[in-house]
Amino acid sequence: METPSVPTSIRRLAGRAIADFDMIRDGDRILVGLSGGKDSLTLLWLLHNLSRRAPVRFEVGAVTINPEIEGFEPQRLMDYLGGYGIPYHFVSEPIAELADAHMDNDSFCSFCSRMKRGLMYRTAREQGYNVLALGQHLDDLAESFMMSAFHGGQLRTMKAHYAIDAGDLRVIRPLVYVRERQTRDFADAAGLPIILDNCPACFAMPTQREHMKQLLAQEEASHPRLFRNLRTTLKPLMTEGGIPPRTPAQADTDHPEAPAHGPTSASA
């Protein structure tokens, strides 16, 4: 079965980010956190395509965490990926029920996010993956930066590449230079089986993130270079704490997107 072809515009931006933050190394086994949304599906096909032509060897699989919330329909993902032979891991956990018993004073969204991340870490370890790839894009990072500055009094955003506290897994975000509209356009054009967010907690009230999204959209309408400037502003924050060092065996390997392959120039 022919795999969806990720547009050159996305491949170039992702290739630049992968090189800038040294995300993919020879022998990596990368597990994509697949929610079923447009961003994670775009990331899966990006890495799958790249693994076939990159000058370094790496493998790609996917994991979906089923929170057992009514309305979530993961069977569509299972049927879809089954036709491509991509290693796929499906983990169910009654997160909503666990939240009632263990959430304390935390928000449900924060509790759910931590639970899902922990389950992805566990799956990666059990299945022999050393890298977890997540699908956040430049819009997500800009919104996180604004929320942190406005409500937390800190200059912070999501990191592009880091090692978790336990030290045995790395987390990468290859789409940090890619715009949300690009993943949306690709998902529509490729007919990807998108599963929309159906968590009732997320729709209970307008979120700070949605407010920041609208604020940025208003500013971009007046200042078309806004996100290009934000990318430059955020780049040092994406590497806060430093990029995880390579092992001696990895030190001599090339980046998966070398200049000879073209996709290292970027434009937001």
Side-chain angles (χ1 to χ4, degrees):
M1 186 180 299
E2 185 177 355
T3 60
S5 179
V6 178
T8 301
S9 58
I10 293 178
R11 288 191 286 110
R12 284 178 174 169
L13 289 167
R16 183 67 171 270
I18 289 168
D20 283 354
F21 301 106
D22 193 19
M23 292 185 187
I24 300 178
R25 301 164 183 181
D26 193 57
D28 278 346
R29 300 193 71 237
I30 302 175
L31 185 66
V32 176
L34 189 66
S35 67
K38 63 188 185 311
D39 307 320
S40 62
L41 279 164
T42 297
L43 177 60
L44 177 63
W45 287 123
L46 170 76
L47 293 178
H48 178 71
N49 295 164
L50 184 56
S51 70
R52 295 173 145 186
R53 61 187 181 85
V56 299
R57 297 173 297 101
F58 67 95
E59 301 175 27
V60 178
V63 60
T64 295
I65 306 301
N66 176 15
E68 299 185 15
I69 295 174
E70 186 177 357
F72 186 68
E73 300 177 355
Q75 188 62 46
R76 294 175 61 199
L77 283 177
M78 299 171 75
D79 294 343
Y80 176 69
L81 291 183
Y84 293 98
I86 296 174
Y88 184 45
H89 310 280
F90 186 79
V91 180
S92 291
E93 193 78 17
I95 292 178
E97 294 180 15
L98 292 171
D100 290 337
H102 304 289
M103 193 167 65
D104 295 328
N105 294 323
D106 205 353
S107 70
F108 176 78
C109 290
S110 295
F111 179 84
C112 182
S113 178
R114 286 200 308 274
M115 285 290 297
K116 287 181 177 179
R117 187 70 63 89
L119 291 166
M120 286 191 285
Y121 291 167
R122 187 184 75 186
T123 303
R125 292 179 177 121
E126 290 175 349
Q127 301 299 327
Y129 293 91
N130 67 312
V131 180
L132 176 65
L134 302 176
Q136 286 87 7
H137 43 63
L138 182 58
D139 294 62
D140 289 323
L141 270 68
E143 292 156 16
S144 293
F145 170 73
M146 298 283 283
M147 290 167 61
S148 180
F150 281 32
H151 301 287
Q154 296 180 311
L155 297 178
R156 298 185 63 184
T157 191
M158 303 174 193
K159 296 179 184 179
H161 181 192
Y162 64 95
I164 69 171
D165 290 341
D168 59 335
L169 298 172
R170 303 189 342 258
V171 177
I172 63 174
R173 293 184 168 101
L175 300 182
V176 291
Y177 291 166
V178 176
R179 296 298 307 279
E180 181 177 15
R181 62 172 177 258
Q182 293 177 282
T183 66
R184 182 186 303 112
D185 290 346
F186 168 58
D188 290 344
L192 301 183
I194 302 301
I195 298 178
L196 299 177
D197 192 349
N198 66 322
C199 177
C202 294
F203 301 118
M205 62 182 66
T207 64
Q208 292 178 355
R209 182 171 293 277
E210 182 59 31
H211 175 70
M212 293 303 170
K213 184 185 291 291
Q214 294 174 5
L215 179 61
L216 286 165
Q218 293 171 4
E219 289 299 310
E220 187 178 20
S222 301
H223 306 284
R225 292 182 60 88
L226 174 66
F227 275 86
R228 184 172 300 191
N229 293 337
L230 280 172
R231 190 180 73 197
T232 302
T233 301
L234 297 176
K235 188 174 179 180
L237 302 180
M238 296 183 204
T239 56
E240 185 179 4
I243 294 173
R246 289 185 167 214
T247 66
Q250 295 171 331
D252 295 329
T253 59
D254 295 327
H255 294 294
E257 283 294 349
H261 290 261
T264 53
S265 62
S267 59

